[in-house]
Amino acid sequence: MAVAPQTLGPAPEVLPETAAVHWRPRADDARLRRLGRLWTLTTAAHVVPFLGAAALLIWLNPLALPVALACVAHAWVIPELYAQRGANVVRARRRAGDGPERRALGLLGDLVGHDARELHARTGLVLEPGRLGTWLVGEAGALLLRGDRGRRVHCYCVRVDERVAAAAELPSGDRIAHLLLALRADEQGFATIANLAFSGARWRLRRRLKAPMRQAIDAAVAGLDRRSSDRA
Amino acid sequence: MSKLIIMDHTGHSTLAEWTPDDPVAVEAAVQAFREQLDRGYLAMVSTGPGHAEQVRELPLNAPLVILRLPIAGG
């Protein structure tokens, strides 16, 4: 039986930088869900043995309470350290001079809407709704809020390639503009190139962020809520 | 008037300005565009809210073409 040739639409734009990470599967919704589950399992694998050991020690001998408490502390600290690693991806970097920063912010402001501009002024992060979730883009990393009310956050370490000499001198606004343009051109490619530093509960990450950046998380959640109610 | 800008240590610099009906300005813009692509820059054009596109030829009708550096995982 003859098969009619399929009509293909234009090939989706793929970031050329993905060639540098050719071994990574292209990020998509299913892959991000799998990665999220894997992070949850890894966290459980770190936490459960310590909690189990604490319970066992107390059951064997109540005098072992101090050691049991140390085990519980380990079970608490390890996920916190991972969350801190996630928070570090959006930590503010060294600023360039006032003039270049202002000029760079002017260009960034032209790329985003009024609300995103205002949020960036308060928090240092640019909110960008995407197909994989809602992004908060910083100078050297991005947060992706996904799922129901953004309960899961993926923290990506991604930046202007510093092997290029000119990259080191870029003002903060330009660094964000670089990431934003790449994200807008190919969201899946962007998530493929970026290194995943943490994936976990939003509340765990939120407490590790500085107060202004928590407002950006809240704004992203509000945006997700609006999108959900628009779809309903 | 269309603009070709490059993000650099000053915030950004304008490399060329042109209108499609000015062949001299267009030629200068195309040359500046190719030089930067040869240096490893990538050219981007906004294609609507939340959308951008990478271009390999200078789009003469685009109001703004932005040159960016490649990105990498940190």
Side-chain angles (χ1 to χ4, degrees), chain A residues 99-101 103-105 107 170-171 174, chain B residues 6-13:
Chain A
E101 286 293 353
R103 207 166 150 74
L105 284 178
L107 176 63
L170 288 173
D174 274 356
Chain B
I6 186 167
M7 290 192 271
D8 59 16
H9 67 284
T10 69
H12 61 267
S13 304

Side-chain angles (χ1 to χ4, degrees), chain A residues 87-118:
Chain A
N88 286 344
V89 306
V90 287
R91 200 178 50 192
R93 270 36 181 195
R94 187 174 53 88
R95 287 281 182 272
D98 280 350
E101 286 293 353
R102 254 198 313 276
R103 207 166 150 74
L105 284 178
L107 176 63
L108 182 63
D110 288 344
L111 294 176
V112 300
H114 173 75
D115 290 349
R117 202 159 41 225
E118 193 270 329

Side-chain angles (χ1 to χ4, degrees), chain A residues 13-17 99-100 103-104 107 111 128 157-161 164 166-167 169-171 174 177-179 181-182 184-185 190 193-195, chain B residues 5-14 39 41-42 44-46 48-56 64 66-74:
Chain A
E13 181 75 23
V14 174
L15 287 179
E17 294 99 319
R103 207 166 150 74
L107 176 63
L111 294 176
E128 181 73 9
C157 204
V158 57
R159 57 185 153 202
V160 184
D161 192 344
V164 184
E169 304 165 340
L170 288 173
D174 274 356
H178 272 80
L179 298 185
L181 286 168
R184 286 178 171 181
F190 182 86
I193 295 162
N195 291 336
Chain B
I5 65 168
I6 186 167
M7 290 192 271
D8 59 16
H9 67 284
T10 69
H12 61 267
S13 304
T14 302
R39 286 181 60 200
Y41 278 85
L42 304 167
M44 311 296 297
V45 174
S46 279
H51 296 282
E53 190 184 328
Q54 190 191 337
V55 290
R56 290 166 184 84
L64 183 65
I66 303 172
L67 293 161
R68 72 166 177 90
L69 289 164
I71 61 166

Side-chain angles (χ1 to χ4, degrees), chain A residues 7 69 121 145 182 194:
Chain A
T7 307
L69 287 177
L145 280 79

Side-chain angles (χ1 to χ4, degrees), chain B:
Chain B
M1 177 78 80
S2 302
K3 266 189 185 182
L4 173 66
I5 65 168
I6 186 167
M7 290 192 271
D8 59 16
H9 67 284
T10 69
H12 61 267
S13 304
T14 302
L15 295 182
E17 289 181 312
W18 72 93
T19 52
D21 55 0
D22 180 350
V24 177
V26 166
E27 183 54 38
V30 168
Q31 190 168 341
F33 178 83
R34 288 196 182 135
E35 275 171 16
Q36 297 307 323
L37 260 51
D38 290 344
R39 286 181 60 200
Y41 278 85
L42 304 167
M44 311 296 297
V45 174
S46 279
T47 52
H51 296 282
E53 190 184 328
Q54 190 191 337
V55 290
R56 290 166 184 84
E57 299 290 334
L58 186 68
L60 296 183
N61 292 316
L64 183 65
V65 181
I66 303 172
L67 293 161
R68 72 166 177 90
L69 289 164
I71 61 166

